[in-house]
């Protein structure tokens, strides 16, 4: 029987958190999801490096890292947008 490799722990979780961060990037919670996704991708990378003969899932980790970074960037842009929007509303209310 061949030695089959399984996906590393947290490799799929990092991708799921990254997708959630993009999906909720218009809220501040997307920033939190993106950070969790980056932490999970780091944990999965460490697990694969520690046991390369047991685990696989590098594609999931790469996808999770990319989507988490995109979610963090989009959340940052959304936060800047909401701050500018609030400043415009406050400025308009003064007149």
């Amino acid at each position: 029987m061949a030695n089959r490799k399984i996906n590393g722990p947290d490799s799929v979780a990092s991708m799921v958190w990254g997708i959630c961060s993009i999906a909720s990037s218009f809220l501040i919670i997307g920033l939190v999801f993106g950070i969790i996704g980056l932490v999970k991708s780091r944990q999965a990378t460490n697990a694969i490096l520690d046991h390369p003969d047991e685990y696989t899932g590098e594609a999931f980790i790469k996808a999770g890292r990319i989507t988490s970074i995109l979610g963090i960037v989009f959340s940052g842009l959304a936060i800047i947008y909401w701050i500018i929007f609030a400043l415009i509303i406050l400025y308009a209310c003064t007149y």
Side-chain angles (χ1 to χ4, degrees), residues 21-45:
S21 72
I22 290 177
S24 62
S25 63
F26 58 92
L27 301 171
I28 295 175
I29 195 75
L31 184 66
V32 175
F33 289 165
I35 293 170
I36 292 172
L38 285 177
V39 169
K40 291 291 185 184
S41 68
R42 186 62 165 159
Q43 291 173 348
T45 301

Side-chain angles (χ1 to χ4, degrees), residues 9-69:
D10 296 328
S11 61
V12 177
S14 70
M15 186 179 67
V16 170
W17 281 110
I19 292 170
C20 289
S21 72
I22 290 177
S24 62
S25 63
F26 58 92
L27 301 171
I28 295 175
I29 195 75
L31 184 66
V32 175
F33 289 165
I35 293 170
I36 292 172
L38 285 177
V39 169
K40 291 291 185 184
S41 68
R42 186 62 165 159
Q43 291 173 348
T45 301
N46 289 339
I48 288 176
L49 290 176
D50 290 342
H51 305 286
D53 53 336
E54 294 177 22
Y55 298 127
T56 187
E58 291 87 1
F60 289 122
I61 296 170
K62 185 181 282 188
R65 187 172 294 131
I66 290 170
T67 55
S68 294
I69 291 170

Side-chain angles (χ1 to χ4, degrees), residues 68-81:
S68 294
I69 291 170
L70 286 175
I72 289 171
V73 169
F74 292 158
S75 293
L77 291 174
I79 291 169
I80 292 170
Y81 168 79

Side-chain angles (χ1 to χ4, degrees), residues 83-95:
I83 290 172
I84 291 172
F85 182 76
L87 291 174
I88 290 172
I89 295 298
L90 287 174
Y91 179 74
C93 290
T94 58
Y95 288 103

